[in-house]
Every structure is written in structure tokens, then in C-alpha cells.
Amino acid sequence: MPVRIVIPIFDGVTALDAVGPYEVLRMLPEAEVVFAAEAAGPCADGDGSLSLVASAALTDVARADVLLVPGGPGARRRVTDEPLLAWIRRIHATTRWTTSVCTGSLLLGAAGLLDGLEATTHWSAVGQLESYGATYTARRVVEQPGGVVTAAGVSSGIDMALRLAELIAGRTVAEACQLAIEYDPQPPFDSGAYAKASPEVKEYLAARR
């Protein structure tokens, strides 16, 4: 069966939140991927240096099998954007899986979809996530009843997409997607989780934020 994957984007999106999962999910058999925004056209990332292009307006999208909400500074700015939150709620009612990457979970939370559930997000947004009634967990991918799946910061969206690929099309297809993108992480440092990072690294990031 065709699988319709809808990824809402906005100015201030973190590109890898959307593009990482896209590179996996677009390879599913009969996948249809739709990037949607307030209006069709380009949306600049958080630095304004890179744009993703929406092929549809949010109002043109009425359903999805998979809703994948990315994060970024633009997501944090839109937690009070009621038209966007109402759209998320409407599409959620049609999905098999409603998902988020990084601070995209704040939009799910603000839409009322995470109340009473376990969820994850970027480490810098834990307090805000819990203000929406979610219980934070530090796992990279968190699956909950009702098809709600959240991923932690940025790169974990690829992990989540591989898990979705397995749920949708089976392990062989998911592993084929993994091989196609040669996803075999062997980073030169072990500083990819807040609990592992040194005080110097944390101080450097805090100063830049």
C-alpha cells in the first residue's frame, strides 16, 4: 500500500531533522513524501544559509500515514501558533504514526498530543517538553501508544526513521535503507549525549546559545 509521509517545515527549521529521516523514508516501497509549509515555497533553516522547499501549503494537506515534525529554533517560536497546532491535531487524527525529531516534540506537546506520555527531545528543551505534560526520557527514540514516536536531538531522527521503516515495511527493507545511506556511525568523539559531554564542551555551547 502507498505510504504518505508529510513533513511540515517552517523558517528556522533544522535541516537535518527533516532531511535525515527523509533520506530513509523516501526509499520505502510506494512512498509519497510531501514537504508542506504555511505557503508552498522555500523555508530557510535556523542560520538562514540553507532552504528547504515545500511543495504544498498546509491547507492543501488533509491526511498522512506518517506525520514527521522537525525541530529547530523556528519550532520553539511556533509553540503558540494555533493554526499550525490545530493542523497538527487534524493530521494526527488521520495518521498511523505521528512523530517528531528534536524540538519538533515541543510542537506535538503544545498541540496536546504528549500529555501523559513518555517522550524525548533535544537535551536543551527538556523542561519545556515536560511543561506540556510529557515525561522526558533520555532514549534516542521513544515509542508510545497511539503511534506517537519522538526522537531526541537532530541525528536521532535517522534512528527513528529506520525504526519506522521496519514497522512499515519489515526489517529487510529497513536494513536495506540503512545500507543505502551507509549509516554506520563511528564518531571520532564520545560527546554526543549531554551526560557524556565534558564541562568544557557544555560551557562552550552555553556561551554560544
Side-chain angles (χ1 to χ4, degrees), residues 84-175:
L84 175 59
L85 301 181
W87 179 86
I88 289 173
R89 287 190 289 267
R90 286 197 303 272
I91 300 303
H92 170 64
T94 73
T95 66
R96 296 166 65 191
W97 291 279
T98 295
T99 73
S100 65
V101 180
C102 197
T103 52
S105 61
L106 300 181
L107 293 173
L108 297 189
L113 304 185
L114 300 181
D115 190 17
L117 300 182
E118 292 185 348
T120 191
T121 191
H122 191 272
W123 54 263
S124 66
V126 171
Q128 189 171 357
L129 176 72
E130 293 197 320
S131 75
Y132 298 121
T135 299
Y136 171 73
T137 173
R139 299 197 303 275
R140 280 178 69 80
V141 179
V142 179
E143 299 176 45
Q144 290 290 277
V148 175
V149 186
T150 54
V154 192
S155 64
S156 59
I158 298 174
D159 298 39
M160 182 185 74
L162 290 168
R163 174 58 177 153
L164 288 172
E166 180 184 22
L167 291 170
I168 293 166
R171 181 160 180 166
T172 297
V173 171
E175 290 191 12

Side-chain angles (χ1 to χ4, degrees), residues 22-106:
Y22 162 77
E23 286 294 343
V24 173
L25 298 174
R26 70 177 181 83
M27 290 187 282
L28 294 177
E30 298 190 69
E32 175 198 6
V33 182
V34 178
F35 284 89
E38 184 176 2
C43 294
D45 75 342
D47 284 338
S49 303
L50 173 70
S51 290
L52 302 179
V53 178
S55 60
L58 296 176
T59 53
D60 295 329
V61 178
R63 59 166 295 276
D65 297 300
V66 178
L67 174 64
L68 193 149
V69 181
R76 294 177 190 254
R77 293 194 294 265
R78 284 168 174 77
V79 295
T80 57
D81 182 345
E82 185 51 40
L84 175 59
L85 301 181
W87 179 86
I88 289 173
R89 287 190 289 267
R90 286 197 303 272
I91 300 303
H92 170 64
T94 73
T95 66
R96 296 166 65 191
W97 291 279
T98 295
T99 73
S100 65
V101 180
C102 197
T103 52
S105 61
L106 300 181

Side-chain angles (χ1 to χ4, degrees), residues 73 144 157 170 190-191 203:
Q144 290 290 277
D190 190 20
S191 191
E203 289 169 9

